[in-house]
Amino acid sequence: MNVDLIFGKTREHLVQLEGTAYWIHKQILTDFLRLQKDAAEAGFNLQIVSAFRDYDRQQRIWNAKASGERPLLDSNAQVLDYASLSPTQIAFAILRWSAIPGCSRHHWGTDIDVYDANKQSADSVKLLPSECYGEGPAAGLHSWLDEKIATMSAYNFYRPYATDRGGISPERWHLSYYPLARRILEFYTFSLFKKNLEEG
């Protein structure tokens, strides 16, 4: 397993999704297009709003949140008062919604964030729970995806953050390609995590 792939420091495993600015792992392309086609037949325009993210991009996200340039959210997606938080509280607030650089599943090209382009423009997507439930613009798409995943007909895609385990907040919009992501997770040991932190 290529450590640079795990840490988001190579693009050799990627292919650009035609007609978009997004890059995904070349081995997920066929199954993503199948899922997209099924969605279209069901009346949804399944599109990607975030895919591969390299180490530097993840670091910019982390640093912007750590410095207060970008808002920090609590578990209910409400904005926190940055000035009232300790450095430890800031770090845990970031971790609720964003990974440490080198630890993001988006580095792998196996994970994507999706929305219904029939209901929203890419620029308007905030990736918040309110968009995915009830009257939210992506609620219908995600109910449809619930059924596809439950019946094992989502072409190996699943939701790694479907359940709140106290770490990353549930992200209904986040899909992962199980066959590849599972292999990477098995390889990503605690010693590699420490190596990432030490080397940056």
Side-chain angles (χ1 to χ4, degrees), residues 1-195:
M1 181 70 64
N2 184 342
V3 173
D4 284 342
L5 181 156
I6 293 173
F7 293 162
K9 295 183 176 181
T10 181
R11 291 176 171 262
E12 67 182 20
H13 56 299
L14 304 173
V15 62
Q16 189 170 14
L17 187 62
E18 187 175 348
T20 79
Y22 301 111
W23 294 77
I24 58 177
H25 198 296
K26 55 192 173 188
Q27 292 182 36
I28 83 167
L29 177 61
T30 298
D31 281 343
F32 173 73
L33 293 176
R34 288 173 178 162
L35 185 64
Q36 194 176 51
K37 180 176 181 290
D38 285 3
E41 291 172 356
F44 304 105
N45 187 358
L46 174 68
Q47 296 295 333
I48 293 174
V49 72
S50 182
F52 170 76
R53 192 180 303 143
D54 68 17
Y55 183 96
D56 291 340
R57 173 66 179 139
Q58 191 68 25
Q59 188 169 52
R60 288 194 299 273
I61 292 170
W62 180 276
N63 290 344
K65 291 185 176 185
S67 65
E69 294 174 19
R70 290 180 65 163
L72 298 176
L73 304 180
D74 67 14
S75 294
N76 297 312
Q78 300 302 305
V79 177
L80 293 165
D81 178 13
Y82 176 86
S84 71
L85 302 176
S86 70
T88 299
Q89 289 172 320
I90 290 170
F92 278 102
I94 298 171
L95 285 168
R96 191 68 170 138
W97 296 95
S98 299
I100 294 170
C103 299
S104 174
R105 296 176 68 107
H106 283 283
H107 293 333
W108 310 341
T110 59
D111 287 51
I112 55 178
D113 297 331
V114 300
Y115 72 106
D116 184 358
N118 286 340
K119 302 288 187 177
Q120 281 180 288
S121 66
D123 292 342
S124 72
V125 176
K126 304 297 184 195
L127 296 178
L128 294 172
S130 59
E131 296 174 316
C132 303
Y133 295 95
E135 300 301 315
L141 169 66
H142 288 296
S143 293
W144 176 81
L145 282 168
D146 287 343
E147 179 67 19
K148 294 287 283 186
I149 292 168
T151 58
M152 306 291 285
S153 56
Y155 304 102
N156 294 307
F157 286 96
Y158 78 111
R159 291 191 177 101
Y161 304 124
T163 303
D164 192 346
R165 296 182 176 90
I168 296 288
S169 180
E171 296 184 349
R172 203 175 189 199
W173 55 83
H174 186 131
L175 301 180
S176 182
Y177 191 71
Y178 181 79
L180 288 176
R182 176 185 57 82
R183 284 172 37 213
I184 295 168
L185 280 173
E186 289 173 352
F187 188 81
Y188 202 139
T189 61
F190 185 67
S191 63
L192 276 181
F193 172 75
K194 289 196 300 181
K195 175 183 172 71

